[in-house]
Amino acid sequence: MPDLLSILGAEGPFARCLPGFRPRQGQAEMAQAVKQAIDGKSCLVAEAGTGTGKTLAYLVPAALSGKKVIVSTATKTLQDQLFRKDLPMVRQALAVPFKAVLLKGRANYLCPYRLQNTLGFKAGYGPREAYALEAIRRWSKTTRTGDIAEVVNVPESSVLWSSVTSTGDNCLGQECPQYEDCFLVKARRSAQDADILVINHHLLWADWTLKNDGFGELLPDCEAIVVDEAHQFVESAAQFLGLSISSRQLHGLADDILVERLKNAKDMPQLLEEAELLEQLTAELRQALGDPSRREAWHKVADDSAVTEKLAELRRHLHDLEAILKEAAVRSKGLESCWKRCTDLGVRLETFDKDEGSEAVRWFEVYKHSFSLNRTPLAIAGEFARFRKHSQAAWIFASATLTVSGRFDHFVGQLGLGGADCRAWESPFDYRNRCLLFLPPGLPDPAVDGFTQAVVRAALPVLKASRGRAFMLFTSHQALSDAAALIAQHLDYPLFVQGNQPKAVLLEAFKQAGNGILLGTGSFWEGVDVPGPALSCVIIDKLPFASPSDPVLNARLETLRRNGLNPFATYQLPAATIALKQGVGRLIRDQEDRGVLMLCDPRILSRSYGKVFLNSLPDTPRTRSLADVQRFFSSEFEKEIAV
């Protein structure tokens, strides 16, 4: 392999072909560490501060290794960026031929069979859905990939997508009459020949689940696995290794039974009756589970007769429906699939209904029109150990936020990565001269009524000084809503509130405005990139401790207590610190960026654990004086006028 220090240096190919490229020592050192891990099939845990250039630090040695490499990310946005921007740039700069393939989860690909069914039974759609369906139909005639992200005029949230894409439950597999035209099958075939395969964490765990259960595989064998956005890897595993039954799956089964009956079993009216009863029982269980936004441990309703009776009735009905569908299954592959799905849902409901013991927690969540029943494992280190041993590959974990007070203990412990090579590279950005941390005085404890109002009062003069150009990040939707109403009364800057528009649309509008204020919760704390002066201030209301009412968190904390550990010190504090680092990371995204970070939670100074948060943040000047903030922004504007 050529010398990585030269390749990523001032005279290297990236300096020649990439405008604005700057050599960074941390990037070159990380690339060397990645190379060593790939060559030695070892495990590297790498924290690379914002601006280090971690993407090139792992893509360059991966491309030069000549080995099969899987790159896994947490989001589709980063998947697309890697495949459409970063990998072509690496190929051009290195002049090394390699085949890169993008592979997403099943729900991201059009299913021609289900589209045909939907077009054939589209009665009842309103004008908006009819327009969207026609747009999908026209696109289906020209697309080469079937990736639904190509359809820009149909929102990702459209209910139509669930009708024209498949799930593991309703896919007919090789029995599908349009199997040879299946975009998912084509994508998976292409993935088998990839030198670098770009996927996401859920797909990586899905592949392991299939292999572990003896049902085949989704991904090719490889020699190295790079896990980017690694701080989200554990949570993805917990979601995928658990069990979930949703009302959407039950309603989807009922809908498909009705479609298949009209096509192949009109002489079986009992299918119509049973499908309609399935819809009814699912809706009644949703009602029994309570109000929307309810998310609780199952033991909260385990003795509620309204819930247990409806669940038992639903299980009995699935058993009866299974017998009818078994008789109908010979009529078509679609009805055969419905029979198998009905059987599987019955088994999963039975599994869910059993006591979880100490290895997993049962919980439920209720939405406005739906619900989900979940069984989540409380630890994944043992499962990941089996995964890693089976893969026989090098593993590289990369993120900007893996350490707490400079230590990797929290991340390494969750995955059981004892013995891994853990390395950290600080951000090359000049935080000492280009950033100011403002800790406003006089704010009440976050538990006090009126805290959000106090935060807004403290933030108003800062927002005036920054002339908008700010993110306000909240730990709850209620606080966001309250703050949005108050800010609208006092400031005239463009206001962008999460939930009012799709995330990508909202973010682009904020960038274009140039002086906007964006209010967001969880999804805006990370994975959002706004370089330049349009984002010059980040205001965070509270330290992002996970909600104490969360059933999965409570079960994990109780397990730690039983094992004689302090749950706050070993889990809650490290998790909140990493979340805060993500939020803080939104501010400085480029070498020329400058701005103010305002942390409104007084506990960061009044509680002993506040030092853990502060010691985990970039080395930034701190102030408690609003006048310092105003001077910071005044000096910026004076430079603009001088120019």
Side-chain angles (χ1 to χ4, degrees):
M1 183 183 293
D3 179 35
L4 292 171
L5 295 178
S6 299
I7 290 173
L8 294 168
E11 305 298 325
F14 289 97
R16 292 194 296 270
C17 71
L18 185 60
F21 178 84
R22 300 182 184 185
R24 285 155 285 191
Q25 182 178 350
Q27 183 182 62
E29 290 178 358
M30 179 178 165
Q32 192 67 32
V34 171
K35 175 186 180 302
Q36 291 170 355
I38 292 175
D39 291 345
K41 286 199 171 183
S42 59
C43 180
L44 171 68
V45 180
E47 180 181 81
T50 306
T52 303
K54 66 178 170 61
T55 302
L56 284 185
Y58 64 70
L59 285 183
V60 170
L64 292 172
S65 69
K67 298 179 179 180
K68 275 186 172 290
V69 179
I70 288 177
V71 178
S72 177
T73 77
T75 63
K76 289 182 286 187
T77 300
L78 186 54
Q79 268 190 278
D80 287 329
Q81 178 184 310
L82 283 167
F83 182 71
R84 306 188 193 287
K85 178 185 174 184
D86 298 325
L87 280 167
M89 177 182 65
V90 169
R91 184 185 289 109
Q92 177 188 355
L94 297 179
V96 172
F98 59 83
K99 180 180 179 180
V101 174
L102 175 66
L103 182 62
K104 298 181 179 179
R106 179 190 297 276
N108 294 279
Y109 295 96
L110 178 73
C111 172
Y113 176 78
R114 289 181 62 78
L115 173 63
Q116 185 182 59
N117 277 350
T118 303
L119 289 169
F121 299 91
K122 59 184 177 181
Y125 286 127
R128 181 180 298 179
E129 287 78 14
Y131 171 81
L133 185 57
E134 176 58 20
I136 294 171
R137 186 196 66 79
R138 291 196 304 269
W139 163 74
S140 72
K141 301 295 184 182
T142 59
T143 181
R144 297 179 62 186
T145 68
D147 186 341
I148 66 175
E150 296 174 357
V151 190
V152 294
N153 54 347
V154 178
E156 188 177 348
S157 59
S158 172
V159 295
L160 279 174
W161 287 125
S162 63
S163 300
V164 299
T165 58
S166 69
T167 66
D169 292 331
N170 61 34
C171 176
L172 302 183
Q174 295 186 24
E175 303 298 331
C176 179
Q178 298 196 39
Y179 182 76
E180 291 304 318
D181 298 322
C182 178
F183 293 108
L184 178 63
V185 169
K186 292 176 181 177
R188 288 181 177 173
R189 285 174 179 166
S190 181
Q192 296 298 318
D193 300 323
D195 298 307
I196 298 179
L197 177 62
V198 181
I199 63 169
N200 58 53
H201 300 343
H202 278 83
L203 203 53
L204 189 58
W205 281 106
D207 180 62
W208 167 242
T209 303
L210 282 177
K211 288 175 178 173
N212 200 33
D213 291 342
F215 291 130
E217 60 185 20
L218 301 173
L219 309 176
D221 290 334
C222 66
E223 294 159 285
I225 299 172
V226 178
V227 179
D228 201 350
E229 298 177 302
H231 59 282
Q232 294 192 35
F233 188 64
V234 173
E235 194 58 37
S236 296
Q239 292 173 18
F240 210 92
L241 295 174
L243 177 147
S244 180
I245 306 107
S246 69
S247 55
R248 176 180 170 182
Q249 292 170 310
L250 295 161
H251 286 306
L253 174 60
D255 290 344
D256 287 349
I257 290 171
L258 293 174
V259 169
E260 292 295 336
R261 175 192 167 269
L262 284 172
K263 289 170 60 179
N264 302 294
K266 290 182 180 179
D267 60 334
M268 296 185 70
Q270 64 269 44
L271 283 176
L272 172 61
E273 297 164 4
E274 296 297 319
E276 290 178 342
L277 182 55
L278 177 58
E279 294 267 16
Q280 177 187 328
L281 291 174
T282 301
E284 289 174 355
L285 178 56
R286 153 69 191 81
Q287 287 296 117
L289 287 170
D291 297 329
S293 302
R294 190 179 186 191
R295 177 187 169 102
E296 293 186 320
W298 186 250
H299 68 77
K300 297 281 188 179
V301 295
D303 296 324
D304 184 335
S305 59
V307 172
T308 55
E309 288 173 9
K310 284 300 173 188
L311 184 60
E313 194 174 353
L314 179 60
R315 284 180 57 187
R316 286 194 297 271
H317 178 67
L318 285 171
H319 184 266
D320 295 341
L321 179 57
E322 179 189 351
I324 298 171
L325 285 169
K326 183 177 181 180
E327 180 184 345
V330 295
R331 304 286 188 95
S332 71
K333 292 301 178 184
L335 283 168
E336 182 182 350
S337 173
C338 288
W339 167 48
K340 292 177 179 178
R341 287 162 62 190
C342 183
T343 303
D344 180 60
L345 281 168
V347 170
R348 286 155 71 184
L349 270 179
E350 183 178 357
T351 302
F352 172 82
D353 215 13
K354 294 177 181 176
D355 180 50
E356 69 274 13
S358 61
E359 300 299 318
V361 57
R362 288 185 297 167
W363 56 282
F364 68 99
E365 189 160 15
V366 187
Y367 309 94
K368 188 174 182 180
H369 300 295
S370 61
F371 67 84
S372 66
L373 309 177
N374 308 279
R375 185 185 179 104
T376 302
L378 297 177
I380 65 141
E383 190 65 30
F384 179 69
R386 289 187 286 274
F387 187 1
R388 184 179 165 197
K389 182 178 180 180
H390 181 274
S391 71
Q392 296 186 335
W395 283 81
I396 294 97
F397 296 93
S399 172
T401 55
L402 293 177
T403 63
V404 177
S405 293
R407 298 179 63 87
F408 288 91
D409 300 20
H410 179 66
F411 180 79
V412 166
Q414 286 183 297
L415 284 174
L417 295 175
D421 180 17
C422 296
R423 306 275 300 277
W425 292 272
E426 291 186 2
S427 169
F429 295 157
D430 185 9
Y431 285 93
R432 292 295 306 170
N433 293 302
R434 306 194 69 84
C435 188
L436 180 66
L437 172 59
F438 178 42
L439 304 173
L443 286 175
D445 187 274
V448 172
D449 288 342
F451 175 75
T452 298
Q453 289 78 3
V455 167
V456 172
R457 283 195 299 272
L460 287 174
V462 175
L463 293 169
K464 289 177 182 177
S466 67
R467 297 190 300 186
R469 308 185 305 153
F471 272 12
M472 292 190 72
L473 301 178
F474 297 88
T475 55
S476 76
H477 288 279
Q478 185 60 56
L480 181 151
S481 178
D482 293 344
L486 289 169
I487 291 171
Q489 296 173 18
H490 293 91
L491 296 176
D492 293 328
Y493 298 115
L495 200 60
F496 303 94
V497 181
Q498 180 179 344
N500 289 353
Q501 294 175 287
K503 180 180 176 180
V505 174
L506 198 70
L507 191 61
E508 186 58 33
F510 171 82
K511 292 177 181 178
Q512 294 300 321
N515 65 340
I517 302 171
L518 188 149
L519 281 69
T521 56
S523 64
F524 279 91
W525 283 66
E526 60 180 284
V528 176
D529 192 19
V530 185
L535 179 55
S536 297
C537 181
V538 169
I539 300 172
I540 293 175
D541 71 333
K542 297 180 184 179
L543 297 174
F545 289 106
S547 170
S549 63
D550 183 83
V552 179
L553 174 63
N554 272 330
R556 284 175 177 159
L557 301 184
E558 183 56 37
T559 299
L560 290 169
R561 287 190 195 97
R562 285 199 302 267
N563 292 334
L565 298 172
N566 181 326
F568 181 79
T570 58
Y571 190 90
Q572 289 170 287
L573 181 58
T577 302
I578 288 172
L580 180 66
K581 289 172 68 175
Q582 281 291 330
V584 169
R586 297 316 97 211
L587 182 60
I588 305 296
R589 307 298 301 173
D590 186 80
Q591 199 81 25
E592 302 303 320
D593 283 358
R594 66 193 306 273
V596 169
L597 170 67
M598 178 177 177
L599 298 182
C600 300
D601 193 328
R603 294 175 296 180
I604 202 164
L605 292 177
S606 65
R607 305 290 177 87
S608 59
Y609 59 72
K611 294 179 181 178
V612 175
F613 288 102
L614 291 172
N615 291 340
S616 299
L617 298 181
D619 182 17
T620 302
R622 303 173 194 168
T623 184
R624 307 212 72 193
S625 169
L626 175 62
D628 288 341
V629 174
Q630 293 168 331
R631 276 192 293 271
F632 181 93
F633 285 119
S634 294
S635 65
E636 175 187 9
F637 300 146
E638 287 169 4
K639 290 177 183 176
E640 288 180 6
I641 293 170
V643 172

